[in-house]
Amino acid sequence: MTTANAYPVTQTIRTIGILGGGQLGMMLAEAAMPLGYQCVFLEDSADCPASLYGRVFSSEQLEAFIEAADVFTLEFENTPTTTVEQLASLSKSGSKQGMFPPPIALDIAQDRLKEKQMFNTLDIATVPFMAVNSETELKQACDELGLPIVLKTSRGGYDGKGQFVIKQDSDIKAAWQDLKDAVTGKGTLTATPAPLIAEGFINFSRELSIIAARAQNGQVRCYDLVENHHHHGILAKTQAPAVGTSHLFKQATDAITTVMNHLGYVGVMALELFVTKDARGNDALLANEIAPRVHNSGHWSIEGAVTSQFENHIRAVVNLPLGDTDNVHPAIMVNVLGQYPDISAVLNIDGAHYHSYHKAERDDRKIAHITLMPNDVADLEPALAKLVAVLPNKVGLDKKPAAIVDNVINNPEKTSENTKSSIEDNQTDSAVNAKAKVNKAQK
């Protein structure tokens, strides 16, 4: 089938090559189609979600994949940097239109130690951390950072994998035995030798993220801060916008803009953040990590923003003007893990939008997401309760969350009265802030 591009014949981009064919690649392709672009994918699973929207090339067909596309991007930050560097070099020779984001963004995002060091170089606050190359250095980190700490592989691992929480001295040996192979590159999570990273314990009241898009001309547009809740290390729910965070928005936008400019970034990036207290007792943000791609916590933007994160990423890659990132309606996005719900029961909930990834069911696998956007924002929480009731995997949303999370483990007994009061205040003003968004959109 031959299709015409939506742009004049002087437009040199017709096809976008995407490294990866998962649900993110699928949703990028969905966003590209109305703009007049086709997508092809480099993915070893021929029946991947993105196969519904374009040809899939295996890794052994890299040259054919390159030939089929005019410009390149990715959907997964653990893409081999050698492949990304090869694609980036094609733009220098003029044979292709570019690789976005640039290889340096992946090099940083694939190494938690480099990532934390970059944040600190840019004066972006993080948890205290130390590199760990031996059990002796791990003991030293425990002494200097104080227990508990979180020991992580600096490379590899995602959705909670490759981590060990050390609560007491007796945990040190077990933690080292569990993760030491990553130092020599023998571990199952990474083939690249790299130090472990020990991160100091922090009390934080909320987990937020901010998503931004950066164009090839350097323009940056940011989405609202959103609040994220995890279940077994996997994102379970995102609320957009995150209520009661207007005083943190500038700090968040400054941070992600600084990072994107530093990397010469093009496309959509997410920055994950913790809300904690500074020395004066005021709310402050700590940077956790970047994701150099469209992000799970931005899926709400398909229905809830003027321009979705997927469309803005496509716009940036093909060098079109970025779209408005305003939230047009408060929303809650819930991940469907492991088992599909009854779609009729889901769509019987007013304001529910269902997105299947066309994947086989498997424990804790992300197979769909559902965005709730009832007309009346006061119905958001009731709609969420109805949704949870019909989900086979409740992703922890049927339980009352702890008011404070200590890095990656729940410790509700450590919740201060000030933190409880702050959370109650945020819940109280939720409807007020959300209603203001709706009024803005209606105007």
Side-chain angles (χ1 to χ4, degrees), residues 216-230:
Q216 294 183 37
N217 66 3
Q219 178 194 25
V220 175
R221 303 196 77 155
C222 298
Y223 291 85
D224 282 334
L225 277 163
V226 298
E227 181 169 352
N228 302 315
H229 297 266
H230 293 78

Side-chain angles (χ1 to χ4, degrees), residues 360-397:
E361 295 179 337
R362 191 174 70 208
D363 286 350
D364 286 340
R365 189 184 200 187
K366 295 175 184 174
I367 56 176
H369 77 263
I370 298 162
T371 302
L372 299 173
M373 288 178 50
N375 187 52
D376 189 336
V377 295
D379 291 333
L380 260 178
E381 290 300 327
L384 177 62
K386 291 177 183 177
L387 175 59
V388 172
V390 301
L391 288 178
N393 184 345
K394 312 296 183 186
V395 292
L397 298 178

